[in-house]
Amino acid sequence: MSETRVNLLDFDRIGLEAWFTELGEKGFRAHQLMKWIYHLGVIDFDRMSNLSKSLRTRLSEIAEIRLPEVVTDQVSADGTRKWLLRLHDGNCVETVFIPDGDRGTLCISSQVGCPLDCAFCVTAQQGFNRNLTAAEIIAQVWVANEQLGRSAVGDQAWPGVNDTRLITNVVLMGMGEPLLNVENVVRACRLMMDDLGFGLSKRRVTLSTAGVVPGLERLAGLTDISLAVSLHAVDDELRSQLVPINRKYPISELLSACRKFIGGDTRRRITWEYIMLAEVNDSVHDARKLVKLLSGIPSKVNLIPFNPYPGAPYRASSNAVLDEFREVLLAAGIMTVTRKPRGQDIDAACGQLAGKVQNRRARAVNPPVVEVHP
Ligand code: SAH
């Protein structure tokens, strides 16, 4: 009967306090519960020893902590790890962990599939089913933590806030467009940044958008997490082909929404993602135009080598072209890095996440699976 129970992962701190208050309990019960769930990795009410027996019984009657099921767990030769997670309705999403020295970035999904149809992205071909709930978004962090804890230090350990942290950064760069699911995304991000949740700083939680301007405006009123924008082209004609949402919110509108998002705060900047497609958007002329577009906006540019997939209509730019493009930006004083493709051998790199979207006619791309038993 899990459908009728409240999933407690759906609440951020304020929501959980209100829920306990409605039950006639003190608000600080919410804090105790959060510590069990997010610091200690305990989801069994019976083990929450500082809650009274009667409260624990009541919780198990009306509430639950519902997690997705790990369907597959793949490890790349470069250490990148990808999980396929099955949600209660049978839909599946993917979550990727990318270790890099003492930094560990978790790339999470915000929707089942994606409705935006960007021309170079596999997720788009899956079609779209629905938004993820806040619980399904934060659960990806919980499950990854559990999976990493197990494999790294044995069954008992939970790499929590006061422990050696394996997940140091979270990026909303998996399946879906987070700004089409603002409320749930923000609630989940609050849990990531809450000291009683995963305790990450706002600089270490990054939302990536294809440029949904109204969503960006809503986001600005709710949180000041870090923002990455998938720009990919410097003129509207090309951008509308590559990122069709540009027909609705053209580059000039997008840039002014981004300017507003960071406001006058000089410590903040926007990360621009720019996929490098051979002979499409990768000329020196494009680079110069990019410099002009970004002038006056505190910026960092991430050049993303195109990750090919079967049937892809594009090719990746050569290293020489990539370097030349980067040089133009660097010479103009724009901090620019080329993103290292990670986890390509397990289809875990940018734009390769496919998941499993139900009730869509779109063709299913199922990557070969290597099972791992932690
Ligand atoms: N919808 C959001 C979140 C996805 S983030 C957004 O568009 O920003 C995933 C990033 O990978 C985006 O910058 C996306 O444009 C990029 N990407 C998609 N397909 C890719 C591919 N085949 N190769 C390289 N990058 C890709």
Side-chain angles (χ1 to χ4, degrees), residues 120-121 173 273 304-307 339 341-342 348-353:
F120 44 79
C121 183
M173 293 188 187
E273 295 163 281
I304 314 180
F306 171 61
N307 292 310
R339 191 180 285 171
R342 297 287 307 264
C350 299
Q352 294 186 317
L353 299 189

Side-chain angles (χ1 to χ4, degrees), residues 114 116 120-122 172-174 176-178 208-210 230 232 273 275 304-309 339 350-352:
C114 185
L116 289 189
F120 44 79
C121 183
V122 167
L172 282 131
M173 293 188 187
E177 169 49 51
S208 176
T209 180
S230 296
H232 304 327
E273 295 163 281
I275 188 168
I304 314 180
F306 171 61
N307 292 310
Y309 51 89
R339 191 180 285 171
C350 299
Q352 294 186 317

Side-chain angles (χ1 to χ4, degrees), residues 149-165:
R150 273 198 194 156
S151 68
V153 271
D155 257 12
Q156 300 307 312
W158 175 262
V161 228
N162 300 318
D163 226 324
T164 316
R165 202 190 266 286

